[in-house]
Amino acid sequence: RQRTQRLLDLQSEEVIYSNNELEKKFRDLDTKIEQLSLLIELSAAVNASLDPEKIYEQALDRLVQLMGYESAHLFLVDPSRRVLVAHKMAGHDPAVAEAFGGQELPLNAATSVVGKVAVTGLPVLVNDVDSATEPVHRPTALALTACALVSVPLRVKGRTFGVLTVVSSTPGRFGEADIELLSAVANH
């Protein structure tokens, strides 16, 4: 009798574990479907308009509205002045957006994450701005209430022309899946 009960308990634990794993797989699948839907929408936006400004705006809005990022930011490289210029953003109130517009950061890998991404052409993930080893530009992080961020390069023909960044006021918010999604968006 005890042996039968032990077997039933073990089988119950296996069923519960399998059920939890299946639920996790379904959540992951839902996330992938949302990401693919975003990429399809962005492809349609690119095909519908040759206006880069409209494409930038739609991409940032969709990242915030469809993917749940708190805010998304676009910095463009000004190679003649060796700066990154804050160009567009989505997800913040108008006062923050106004302060963001036109802000400039040096095109320097040691000064900011955005600068590092522009110079190296590699994505950067910072899950805790306060303890980051990456070069976080503190005034910008403070203005954007950023506790975590992901930045990826925007490239054309191997040349980085901008940086796409999403931020969160929650430390630990981002992972590799965010880098993959943002890199895919940036490549559109």
Side-chain angles (χ1 to χ4, degrees):
R1 196 171 229 285
Q2 284 182 332
R3 182 176 166 174
T4 304
Q5 186 60 44
R6 258 194 348 235
L7 287 174
L8 285 172
D9 289 345
L10 182 61
Q11 198 171 28
S12 293
E13 287 176 19
E14 286 181 15
V15 167
I16 290 170
Y17 175 79
S18 295
N19 186 52
N20 289 340
E21 287 297 305
L22 191 57
E23 286 177 359
K24 183 179 180 250
K25 296 281 184 197
F26 277 121
R27 282 191 305 273
D28 292 346
L29 184 58
D30 282 343
T31 300
K32 289 291 182 191
I33 289 169
E34 288 173 1
Q35 291 173 346
L36 286 172
S37 296
L38 172 68
L39 293 175
I40 289 167
E41 282 191 34
L42 288 176
S43 293
V46 169
N47 290 333
S49 173
L50 294 178
D51 179 7
E53 295 302 315
K54 191 172 186 176
I55 294 167
Y56 297 153
E57 191 171 308
Q58 289 179 358
L60 295 175
D61 286 342
R62 282 176 170 84
L63 284 169
V64 170
Q65 293 169 4
L66 298 179
M67 297 313 301
Y69 293 118
E70 286 179 35
S71 62
H73 311 268
L74 174 64
F75 293 85
L76 295 180
V77 174
D78 182 341
S80 64
R81 296 179 31 233
R82 302 229 5 103
V83 295
L84 287 145
V85 180
H87 187 67
K88 289 203 178 287
M89 70 174 295
H92 275 294
D93 63 55
V96 174
E98 189 175 321
F100 176 79
Q103 178 185 9
E104 295 184 353
L105 297 172
L107 188 57
N108 179 328
T111 307
S112 67
V113 168
V114 175
K116 182 175 181 177
V117 170
V119 170
T120 65
L122 299 171
V124 172
L125 181 147
V126 174
N127 257 327
D128 188 353
V129 165
D130 291 333
S131 64
T133 57
E134 297 291 347
V136 174
H137 188 259
R138 302 286 174 190
T140 302
L142 185 62
L144 300 176
T145 63
C147 291
L149 62 97
V150 177
S151 292
V152 298
L154 298 166
R155 288 190 218 111
V156 172
K157 297 179 182 174
R159 185 182 65 82
T160 300
F161 72 91
V163 176
L164 173 62
T165 300
V166 294
V167 302
S168 174
S169 59
T170 305
R173 158 70 168 83
F174 301 118
E176 289 299 315
D178 296 291
I179 292 175
E180 290 172 16
L181 173 64
L182 294 170
S183 295
V185 168
N187 288 329
H188 269 74

